[in-house]
Amino acid sequence: MANSFISIKDFARAALPRLIDHLVFPNLIHKDYSDDFAARRGDTIQVRKPVVLEAKDFDPAQGVSTQDIVENTVDVTLDKIATVDVGIEALQGAANIDDLIRVFIDPAAAALAQKINADGLKLYQDVNSCVGEAGKTPDTLFAFADARKQLNLQKAPVSGRVAVWDAEADAAFTALEPIVHAEKSGSTLALREGSIGRVMGMENYMSQAVCQHETGITAAQAVKVNGKVSAGSNTLSLTATTLTGKLSKGDLIKIGDHTYTITADSAAAASNAIANVQVSPALPEIADKTDVTLIGSHTANLAFHPMAFAFVTRPLTAPGGVESYVTHYNGISLRVVRGYDMQHKREMLSMDVLYGFKTLYPELAVRVLG
């Protein structure tokens, strides 16, 4: 590079705070980080789920009833590496760290954050409850009220609730008079950029990475349960007057007053029927020919309590034979590597993050359809 005094450490230390500022979803959920050891992609980490306790009535005659504090664990696979890689020659014109921040570090941090946010927001596929209308952007205060009501019904803790909206919903909300004239939050954090602030007990954020869910069903009419379903089952079969295509992971179906998530892609419909559809949560007893509503493609905005999801990251191992530096702060670890690509005979600079996401308590979240 033009300035030999710009070290890999300088790159890493300049990039990490910018990466953290661009992150939205990981900064809003439960984070699990340890720098005790370096990890590789595919490693499985045991993460402790936040403890849930129950408050009971006090009975003076019986006295208190103690309950055990049980720390359950879940396995989280570190299956994601977000990476930005460039040839050193692309940075030759940068004479100092300020130039590098402008031409590489800022854009690289934004790109890494976009991928990490997008991977995390895919956890919407685990959330089976929903409010709103598929295909219609939330644009009134009823969107907040409906999400709040559903979280209340699901007994999510009141404190700490947040929501992440796509750009369309955010634009609609920022034009609402009650929000336009609401008191500003006063925060200067980049996480707050574009925020509409606190509404009905939820802190609200915008992310371009909010997922657009696409169903594989191309036509459906008069869909019903095909065969009696036993209580506790996670599979059912469907039949219909017209049914073509297939159910996709993350699709929603409604039976009575309850909504269920499709947990795996189904087979394609044959003779207007699909067998062995996998759903969550477990089903109650359902009679044959019960009506089923298929909820179509939608924007998967999310309202949730932080304990609903977890972001897990570990430092990447330092590769041998090349210059590298790993830095971490506030539950995020970043590696910068300077190496040589023998196949193409050029020097390379790489920035990457190792991480995984996991749904801990899906009942503490709700999809707000758009």
Side-chain angles (χ1 to χ4, degrees):
M1 288 181 290
N3 190 333
S4 60
F5 294 103
I6 301 174
S7 67
I8 295 300
K9 182 186 292 188
D10 294 329
F11 268 99
R13 290 184 170 178
L16 183 57
R18 289 166 171 81
L19 169 62
I20 292 172
D21 282 350
H22 282 292
L23 290 173
V24 177
F25 190 64
N27 284 331
L28 299 176
I29 63 177
H30 177 69
K31 281 193 284 191
D32 183 280
Y33 172 79
S34 171
D35 59 359
D36 292 340
F37 63 93
R40 300 178 185 273
R41 183 177 183 179
D43 285 356
T44 297
I45 305 296
Q46 279 201 331
V47 174
R48 293 178 178 175
K49 296 176 67 174
V51 175
V52 176
L53 299 175
E54 179 186 359
K56 301 179 180 180
D57 286 330
F58 173 67
D59 185 341
Q62 298 296 325
V64 298
S65 175
T66 61
Q67 52 191 303
D68 293 333
I69 295 178
V70 179
E71 286 191 295
N72 293 319
T73 62
V74 294
D75 289 340
V76 181
T77 302
L78 300 176
D79 57 350
K80 305 290 185 184
I81 294 182
T83 181
V84 174
D85 309 275
V86 297
I88 292 292
E89 66 274 9
L91 307 178
Q92 289 295 341
N96 52 55
I97 191 66
D98 290 334
D99 285 346
L100 287 168
I101 288 172
R102 175 178 54 82
V103 302
F104 176 60
I105 293 176
D106 269 345
L112 289 172
Q114 178 72 6
K115 183 182 186 320
I116 295 170
N117 285 327
D119 286 338
L121 287 165
K122 289 176 184 176
L123 294 180
Y124 81 88
Q125 295 177 332
D126 298 332
V127 178
N128 63 281
S129 65
C130 68
V131 295
E133 181 180 342
K136 184 180 185 300
T137 297
D139 59 1
T140 71
L141 292 178
F142 287 108
F144 302 100
D146 289 344
R148 176 186 174 91
K149 176 183 177 181
Q150 190 61 41
L151 289 174
N152 289 341
L153 292 173
Q154 294 169 194
K155 300 181 180 179
V158 174
S159 62
R161 292 178 182 178
V162 293
V164 180
W165 307 94
D166 78 326
E168 296 294 332
D170 178 77
F173 292 149
T174 54
L176 292 175
E177 186 173 346
I179 292 177
V180 169
H181 297 293
E183 196 171 278
K184 302 296 186 296
S185 68
S187 173
T188 59
L189 294 175
L191 179 62
R192 296 279 189 174
E193 289 184 0
S195 170
I196 59 176
R198 187 173 181 82
V199 180
M200 296 189 185
M202 293 186 296
E203 293 287 348
N204 296 275
Y205 303 91
M206 186 278 296
S207 175
Q208 297 96 330
V210 168
C211 295
Q212 305 295 316
H213 178 77
E214 297 292 336
T215 181
I217 296 294
T218 55
Q221 185 177 4
V223 182
K224 298 180 182 297
V225 174
N226 188 11
K228 180 181 175 181
V229 177
S230 300
S233 175
N234 286 101
T235 62
L236 77 166
S237 298
L238 303 177
T239 186
T241 304
T242 302
L243 188 60
T244 59
K246 68 175 185 177
L247 290 161
S248 301
K249 181 180 179 180
D251 276 357
L252 293 169
I253 63 172
K254 189 171 184 179
I255 304 174
D257 294 329
H258 299 283
T259 309
Y260 302 90
T261 300
I262 305 303
T263 58
D265 290 353
S266 73
S271 301
N272 295 317
I274 303 176
N276 299 318
V277 176
Q278 299 179 44
V279 302
S280 178
L283 298 158
E285 182 176 305
I286 302 174
D288 185 25
K289 306 301 182 184
T290 298
D291 290 336
V292 177
T293 300
L294 304 185
I295 298 174
S297 299
H298 56 272
T299 302
N301 303 292
L302 285 174
F304 55 93
H305 186 273
M307 286 197 305
F309 310 108
F311 173 70
V312 182
T313 182
R314 294 290 187 273
L316 278 159
T317 55
V322 294
E323 184 183 3
S324 66
Y325 186 81
V326 178
T327 186
H328 55 86
Y329 175 71
N330 196 28
I332 307 292
S333 178
L334 175 73
R335 180 179 69 174
V336 178
V337 178
R338 182 177 181 178
Y340 185 74
D341 179 357
M342 290 187 291
Q343 182 177 355
H344 299 98
K345 298 190 181 300
R346 61 175 182 170
E347 282 190 287
M348 298 290 296
L349 189 69
S350 173
M351 293 169 51
D352 50 18
V353 181
L354 173 68
Y355 58 96
F357 286 96
K358 186 77 171 183
T359 300
L360 300 179
Y361 296 105
E363 65 271 21
L364 300 185
V366 58
R367 293 192 217 182
V368 186
L369 307 182

